[in-house]
Amino acid sequence: MAPAELRTVTVLSSPLRLRILLMLSLLSATDVVSAATAPLKFGINYGQIANNLPHPTQVSGLLQSLNVNRVKLYDADPAVLTAFAGTGVEFIVGNDDLQTLIDARKANAWVAQHVQPFLPNTRITCIIVGNEVLSGKDTVAMQNLLPAMQAVYQAVVDLGLSGQVNVSTAHSVDILASSYPPSSGVFREELGQYIQPILNFHTEIASPFLINAYPFFAYKASPGSVSLPYVLFEPNTGVVDPNTNLTYDNMLYAQIDAVYAAMKAMGHTDLTVRISETGWPSKGDEDEVGATVANAAAYNGNLMKRIAMGQGTPLKPNVPVDVFVFALFNEDMKPGKASERNYGLFYPNGTPVYNLGFNGASFSPSPTFSSSSKPTITFLMAVVVLLAGFFL
């Protein structure tokens, strides 16, 4: 059993429920405008490789109750996009069928069918074409990546959606040949022929460069030499980049700045790096060192605190780190190591995997709200309410 501070929220007694409901009513009635009512400044990946997930309308209610307002899908599931209509939640959708998308007519047809009909009721702000293509071994896919991105963007323009929807692709941090020290970051030489024109395209359409980064992998591969506090955002002495004298107290920010350095080496200082995936598994196979509930809670909890502070990296202190956490749910049908099925913040029944301050979710569909409406309960409000309950 997990330690007390990591157990999921238990069923509350009736008197305590009543006190909490009264407190929420008071918070709503006083119309408090504070950090507690601000939207969370991180997004979440909503993967669906599972056979036990709740209906999208229930997921919509869950995310509204937590005041999470940015979601990334790996497809353009119409059931999900419909369920979130009118909520104000911002979506990134995906399509990795590069062979189809390089055909301009088919790209136009896909955008017309899977994106356009849901706008503007559902806010779709970006289409991700392909996922971690350049870190794979399919050279045909690598060659098709940029043409597919260009075809999708042209479709967006032709359909009059360019003011609402942008286009990007997500890369694994493995496209770096070197990431230490961060100022020496450089892309793998054999990938330069693909990355250079992609960077140019990002500049042309003003879209961000997306990276999937998991410090967990570095720790798992070498737990004897990688500091656990360093990868978990816990207090540590940090690492100094000898070329810049900048001090890094966590690996994720070092990886982000290594990508900035690699882009600079290719002549680009005009692009923003965003983290399209990062997270930590709560469970793994015996050889997956570090995959524990305690470490997952520490990584995601400490990361969320930093995001809430609007913190930038040492190299870009005035550019708040932009992160999509992986993932919303544990996904029981994902192949591979046990860790792959245990990245979720929630079990499919809505119970938190560990305590990040989230209130227990009831999964009853919530009424939709406009951008001017107040959500039912925010992350920080949930923390206040839960703490207050213990003293009532």
Side-chain angles (χ1 to χ4, degrees), residues 24-180:
L24 288 175
S25 297
L26 288 172
L27 283 170
S28 178
T30 54
D31 196 24
V32 176
V33 178
S34 68
T37 58
L40 295 180
K41 297 179 180 179
F42 73 93
I44 197 156
N45 284 272
Y46 179 6
Q48 299 183 78
I49 306 177
N51 59 9
N52 56 358
L53 297 183
H55 191 275
T57 55
Q58 295 176 300
V59 178
S60 176
L62 169 66
L63 293 186
Q64 289 180 64
S65 73
L66 301 174
N67 206 13
V68 174
N69 63 358
R70 294 195 299 158
V71 175
K72 176 169 158 282
L73 296 177
Y74 291 87
D75 54 18
D77 187 342
V80 173
L81 297 176
T82 299
F84 279 83
T87 63
V89 174
E90 178 182 310
F91 272 86
I92 292 176
V93 298
N95 187 340
D96 58 6
D97 186 3
L98 303 182
Q99 188 62 45
T100 295
L101 294 178
I102 59 174
D103 184 315
R105 289 175 299 176
K106 292 179 179 178
N108 191 289
W110 183 84
V111 174
Q113 180 181 350
H114 294 92
V115 177
Q116 188 176 32
F118 301 98
L119 295 167
N121 290 336
T122 300
R123 293 186 61 202
I124 301 173
T125 60
C126 185
I127 300 169
I128 292 183
V129 179
N131 184 57
E132 300 188 353
V133 174
L134 297 185
S135 56
K137 298 180 179 179
D138 187 342
T139 56
V140 173
M142 294 180 189
Q143 294 166 2
N144 288 341
L145 179 56
L146 179 57
M149 294 172 67
Q150 293 170 325
V152 170
Y153 184 73
Q154 189 59 52
V156 167
V157 171
D158 291 345
L159 293 169
L161 307 177
S162 58
Q164 304 173 64
V165 184
N166 214 325
V167 174
S168 189
T169 188
H171 304 281
S172 166
V173 74
D174 290 343
I175 63 174
L176 292 173
S178 172
S179 60
Y180 179 81

Side-chain angles (χ1 to χ4, degrees), residues 7-29:
R7 293 176 194 159
T8 55
V9 178
T10 56
V11 177
L12 302 174
S13 65
S14 295
L16 182 52
R17 282 185 181 178
L18 179 59
R19 295 188 192 102
I20 288 176
L21 288 173
L22 288 172
M23 288 183 67
L24 288 175
S25 297
L26 288 172
L27 283 170
S28 178

Side-chain angles (χ1 to χ4, degrees), residues 194-205:
Y194 308 113
I195 294 177
Q196 183 70 71
I198 287 175
L199 291 174
N200 296 342
F201 179 66
H202 281 300
T203 296
E204 291 172 13
I205 67 173

